[in-house]
Amino acid sequence: MATFRVQYSAGFGHFTQNHKGFGPTIYIEEIVEFDNGKEYFDYLDFYKMYSKSDDTYFHISFLEERPLSEKEIAIRTQYRKMRDENCKKAKEEFMKNNELEVEYIPTHGD
């Protein structure tokens, strides 16, 4: 078993804010020691433990001075796909359940 140093950023923001360029309104950034009981860092385990269902932003930074293994890279790809879907869903839920000011309603498509 191994413990990994990881920094993560997470938050909830308005629908124009996501991990592809805009910062969230409510934001957390923290460095943690993470032990998932495995010999490799599992991005999915970490994401499931630290993310919230209304996060429209989530980013993991692996702080160890070593390259990721092939297994870690494959898991990171799965995590990014899950994160993107969950963040999109959270933004859609927010838009559906809140009145948006006219200036924030996109007119050009996305």
Side-chain angles (χ1 to χ4, degrees):
M1 290 196 262
T3 301
F4 304 97
R5 277 183 52 79
V6 180
Q7 178 175 337
Y8 77 98
S9 307
F12 169 80
H14 144 327
F15 75 100
T16 62
Q17 300 167 317
N18 61 39
H19 59 271
K20 297 194 187 233
F22 299 94
T25 305
I26 300 165
Y27 186 70
I28 183 172
E29 189 169 84
E30 185 176 21
I31 294 177
V32 296
E33 299 286 329
F34 181 67
D35 181 356
N36 59 348
K38 300 176 183 174
E39 289 298 322
Y40 59 91
F41 179 66
D42 191 322
Y43 281 84
L44 289 171
D45 286 352
F46 187 90
Y47 178 69
K48 289 172 185 173
M49 180 176 283
Y50 287 95
S51 70
K52 295 179 179 57
S53 63
D54 65 350
D55 285 340
T56 55
Y57 174 90
F58 198 91
H59 180 75
I60 297 172
S61 299
F62 189 67
L63 298 178
E64 307 223 338
E65 292 293 323
R66 67 166 179 82
L68 294 174
S69 69
E70 285 185 33
K71 186 173 202 163
E72 289 167 328
I73 291 169
I75 292 169
R76 182 180 65 185
T77 302
Q78 293 171 350
Y79 141 73
R80 287 177 174 167
K81 185 176 190 285
M82 177 187 283
R83 176 203 61 194
D84 291 353
E85 290 169 1
N86 290 345
C87 287
K88 182 175 187 249
K89 198 180 309 174
K91 284 183 283 193
E92 288 168 356
E93 280 297 308
F94 179 80
M95 288 169 52
K96 187 168 65 176
N97 296 319
N98 292 278
E99 288 275 329
L100 300 177
E101 295 176 31
V102 175
E103 66 184 286
Y104 296 120
I105 298 174
T107 56
H108 53 69
D110 200 26

